[in-house]
Amino acid sequence: MDRGLSKALGGDGNKQGKLAKSLERHAKESAERAAKEAVAGMKPAIMNSLHQTMREVMVPAYESATRQMFQQTSSTLEQGLAQISLNQANNAANASSSIAPTLQAMSAQLMKMSESI
């Protein structure tokens, strides 16, 4: 510490050390208090800004992405169902064309059987 300050305080080195420690402690406490007050003062503004960003940016983006995903899912499902329907129709047509000769042969055999009775 400065000698002039030391003389003005009227103290020796021990008192100066205590005063320095006391000033340091008070400065630290003041700085911590100021930091807490600054955080407390900024918190509402930060929270409002976050909520506004969520409402204006993130929620609409999420809704848009979800809508696109469901549209793609719906389109893929419709295409898949149409393909299944087409496959079933083709299978039914193939089955009826392969059954027709068998039915005709059976009918002919039944006719022969009925004639012989």
Side-chain angles (χ1 to χ4, degrees), residues 44-85:
I46 291 171
M47 292 301 291
N48 288 338
S49 177
L50 176 65
H51 289 152
Q52 182 179 0
T53 301
M54 292 286 287
R55 281 190 305 269
E56 293 176 0
V57 177
M58 296 182 77
V59 171
Y62 180 78
E63 287 176 346
S64 176
T66 304
R67 187 177 311 112
Q68 288 177 357
M69 179 183 68
F70 280 113
Q71 287 174 346
Q72 290 172 354
T73 303
S74 176
S75 174
T76 302
L77 181 63
E78 287 175 6
Q79 290 173 356
L81 290 174
Q83 185 64 40
I84 289 171
S85 177

